[in-house]
């Protein structure tokens, strides 16, 4: 294991690492004052702070590519020997640049999308606060400091999801009048924000418990300190606490990344403005959980005084269940942003599968690279799709895809770039980043040697098929066919037209980037694989055997690979899943040669459709189990215990004490003869008792 290549204090390039997350916080603090100079100055200042943070991040990129690390610390809580610090290594440097530059593009997009909103000071404050908190998560060198950022993104997401807290009908999500098991399935912004806050807090409590369990044995929260002295791991493993601690920390990732069973908040969080959805649900908060697993996974694998496979199995299977669960729901939802929300949770499930299979594989770096590669790929094309969807909403005035249709000629740029990003989500072969990153996950599962790898592989292939289908369904319903009745009725007052450059340029850049990365494809993955191989070996001592799929010919140093180097089963399955899903989606929703009404012709298909549309009744179970049930129990306790017993005891006790008070009061006459008589009587009784 090699030492950190650059351990420095608050100086040199270490300052750049601090500035990445400090600058957005400074911007958030100054925005209310800057707003007094005018609305335009306020917006440009917010974008400027986001750009400054991104520039600080990109200055770290050469260091990360070269395998260097910067560890900068200052004193924080001296009596507990806790320091605050930033750790800029290959993992965090890549992640911080993804967050910074996509956030910057979303900020630019926001200038156009949010133009005219009367609450923009609050909007920019929480957007900058959110970015600062997210970058704090990425660059923190210890779990406690990371947790402060963790709670920061939770607070900001609550404020941004419920940004339009006046709860106007047009800001709701879900279909009005839709109930499942007696539970309302549409939500207002204030309700959705509160739900997101409370559900993620359930994961946060688990995470906090795991952190302090480790601290109790290790006496430190620092990642490098935990790795250098591993006696804590041996002690915890001896007491069968290491795997539970790891799983508890993973509970935080389940909450923030909306994984099963804490996935329901993500679907209703679409009440926030579209730039918020693009920011939180594409590149930042929901990826925080994936990053956390990427940060702690190698640590728990490296301190293998434990049998760490149980932890990685939990990660892989939670990811697999979530990926399948949310993909099925995306097949039937009529709202464009909710389809993308379901898709986000599903794709994060695939990332978790990759990171989980890493710890179950003979080559840790294969699964690790595949999971992070898909994170990078997804951040680009999903942010682009969310912003494109926002452009459509902006133009049409409805969130339902049934109110759209025929927009490809009215919004040519939006159609083109959403099609490019959509192809990447659907994993169109060889030309999209989504294909290569999904193929890497499929290959890592197949080559892992895990006894249940074929089950995980089958789930991943089914998810890939469904992803292609619902992507083409979304694009088909939005851009193909005839204009909807809604557009025809509103066209006289609201002309559908393309959005301005300040909105379409940001998502165009990300859509083109997803194709550009796809064109260099496996060569890009190889470079990422080599970077993480060096990182894992140098930092954690994880020497992974090079799998067959990564035996890279170096002649000419081109970095481009022959197709025979790919895993043939994984490639075939990936291409097949895309082809089947895309063709079926195109026939039904683009060419319209098959009517989607075919589903209603069979009682079985109708039942399955209803089951998926009702979200597997998980939202219903959540409300009955966590809200309605406990409230009913509390009412019973109040009625029969508080009201009957407690309220019954209190008057009885009061009456008894009043009676005794009267008896004692009766003996207090104030007449000396009475007191002498009582004294004499008492004395006689005592004498009698003594002589008995």
């Amino acid at each position: 294991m090699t030492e950190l290549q650059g351990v420095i204090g608050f100086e040199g390039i270490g300052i750049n690492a601090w500035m990445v997350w400090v600058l957005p916080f400074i911007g958030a603090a100054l925005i209310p004052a800057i707003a007094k100079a005018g609305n335009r100055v306020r917006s440009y200042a917010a974008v400027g702070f986001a750009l400054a943070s991104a520039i600080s991040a990109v200055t770290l990129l050469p260091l990360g590519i070269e395998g260097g690390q910067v560890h900068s610390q200052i004193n924080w809580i001296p009596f507990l020997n806790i320091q605050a610090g930033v750790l800029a290594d290959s993992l965090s440097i890549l992640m911080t640049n993804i967050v910074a530059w996509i956030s910057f593009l979303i900020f630019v997009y926001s200038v156009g999308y949010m133009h005219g909103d009367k609450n923009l000071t609050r909007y920019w404050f929480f957007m900058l606060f959110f970015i600062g908190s997210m970058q704090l998560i990425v660059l923190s060198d210890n779990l406690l400091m990371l947790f402060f950022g963790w709670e920061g993104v939770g607070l900001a997401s609550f404020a941004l999801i419920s940004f339009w807290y006046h709860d106007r009908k047009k800001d709701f999500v879900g279909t009005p009048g839709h109930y499942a098991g007696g539970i309302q399935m549409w939500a207002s912004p204030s309700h959705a924000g509160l739900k997101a806050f409370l559900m993620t807090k359930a994961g946060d409590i688990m995470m906090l418990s795991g952190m302090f369990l480790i601290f109790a044995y290790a006496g430190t929260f620092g990642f490098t300190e935990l790795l250098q002295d591993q006696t804590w791991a041996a002690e915890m493993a001896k007491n069968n606490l290491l795997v539970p601690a790891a799983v508890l920390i993973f509970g935080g990732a389940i909450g923030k990344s909306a994984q099963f069973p804490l996935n329901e908040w993500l679907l209703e969080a679409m009440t926030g403005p579209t730039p918020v959805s693009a920011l939180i649900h594409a590149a930042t908060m929901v990826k925080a959980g994936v990053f956390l697993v990427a940060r702690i996974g190698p640590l728990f694998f490296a301190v293998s005084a434990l049998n760490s496979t149980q932890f990685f199995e939990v990660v892989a299977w939670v990811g697999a269940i979530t990926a399948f669960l949310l993909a099925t729901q995306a097949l039937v939802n009529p709202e464009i942003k909710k389809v993308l929300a379901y898709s986000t949770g599903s794709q994060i499930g695939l990332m978790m599968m990759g990171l989980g299979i890493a710890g179950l594989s003979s080559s840790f770096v294969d699964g690790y690279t595949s999971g992070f590669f898909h994170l990078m790929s997804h951040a680009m094309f999903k942010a682009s799709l969310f912003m494109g969807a926002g452009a459509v909403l902006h133009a049409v005035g409805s969130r339902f895809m049934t109110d759209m249709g025929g927009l490809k000629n009215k919004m040519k740029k939006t159609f083109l770039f959403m099609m490019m990003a959509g192809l990447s989500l659907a994993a169109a072969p060889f030309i999209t980043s989504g294909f290569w990153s999904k193929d890497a996950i499929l290959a890592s599962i197949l080559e892992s040697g895990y006894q249940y790898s074929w089950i995980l592989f089958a789930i991943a292939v089914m998810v890939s098929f469904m992803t292609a289908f619902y992507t083409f369904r979304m694009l088909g319903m939005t851009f193909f066919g005839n204009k909807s009745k809604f557009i025809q009725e509103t066209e006289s007052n609201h002309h559908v037209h393309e959005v301005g450059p300040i909105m379409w340029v940001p998502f165009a850049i990300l859509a083109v980037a997803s194709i550009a990365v796809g064109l260099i494809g496996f060569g890009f993955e190889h470079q990422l694989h080599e970077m993480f191989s060096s990182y894992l070996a140098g930092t954690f001592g994880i020497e992974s055997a090079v799998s067959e799929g990564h035996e890279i010919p170096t002649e000419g140093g081109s970095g481009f690979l022959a197709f025979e180097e790919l895993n043939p089963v994984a490639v075939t399955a990936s291409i097949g899943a895309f082809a089947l899903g895309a063709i079926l989606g195109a026939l039904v929703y683009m060419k319209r040669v098959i009517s989607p009404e075919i589903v209603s012709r069979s009682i079985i298909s109708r039942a399955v459709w209803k089951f998926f549309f009702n979200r597997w009744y998980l939202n219903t179970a959540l409300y009955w189990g966590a809200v309605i049930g406990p409230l009913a129990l509390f009412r019973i306790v109040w009625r029969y215990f508080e009201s009957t017993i407690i309220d019954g005891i209190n008057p009885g006790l009061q009456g008894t004490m009043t009676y005794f008070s009267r008896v004692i009061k009766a003996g207090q006459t104030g007449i000396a003869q009475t007191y002498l008589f009582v004294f004499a009587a008492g004395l006689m009784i005592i004498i009698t008792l003594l002589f008995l």
Side-chain angles (χ1 to χ4, degrees), residues 105 108-115 387-388 390-392 394-395 410-414 417 495-509:
L105 291 174
V108 174
Y109 174 89
S110 294
V111 173
Y113 190 90
M114 299 298 292
H115 178 70
M387 287 190 279
V392 172
H394 195 77
K410 296 282 188 179
M411 304 181 72
K412 294 181 180 179
K413 295 184 182 70
T414 300
F417 297 121
H495 179 63
V496 176
H497 58 85
E498 185 62 86
V499 294
I502 199 167
M503 287 179 64
W504 67 258
V505 169
F507 65 79
I509 291 171

Side-chain angles (χ1 to χ4, degrees), residues 25 82 84 102 183 209 219 267 403 500 502 588 592 652 677 687 691:
F25 281 132
I82 295 176
I102 292 180
I183 300 299
S209 302
L267 317 174
D403 291 336
I502 199 167
V588 177
R592 312 289 173 114
F677 174 78
I687 292 172
F691 283 98

Side-chain angles (χ1 to χ4, degrees), residues 247-332:
V247 172
L248 282 170
I249 293 176
F250 177 59
I254 289 175
K256 278 290 187 286
S257 290
Q259 298 294 281
F260 178 82
L262 299 178
N263 57 282
E264 286 299 319
W265 70 265
L266 178 66
L267 317 174
E268 293 174 2
M270 297 301 105
T271 55
T274 296
V276 171
S277 301
L279 184 68
I280 295 178
H281 309 118
T284 53
M285 191 175 93
V286 292
K287 299 290 175 58
V290 182
F291 176 80
L292 179 64
V293 175
R295 175 59 87 194
I296 67 170
L299 173 65
F300 283 110
F301 188 83
V303 296
S304 276
L306 71 154
N307 180 4
S308 61
T309 56
Q310 294 169 318
F311 166 67
F312 288 102
E313 279 189 300
V314 170
V315 174
W317 284 103
V318 165
I321 292 168
T322 309
F324 183 81
L325 176 75
L326 295 186
T328 59
Q329 296 176 47
L331 295 173
V332 300

Side-chain angles (χ1 to χ4, degrees), residues 216-230:
Y217 280 85
T220 181
F221 293 105
F223 298 123
T224 56
E225 292 82 359
L226 290 170
L227 188 61
Q228 288 166 359
D229 183 0
Q230 300 180 12

Side-chain angles (χ1 to χ4, degrees), residues 599 602-609:
V599 173
S602 165
I603 188 171
I604 296 176
S605 60
R606 282 203 310 270
V608 172
W609 184 93

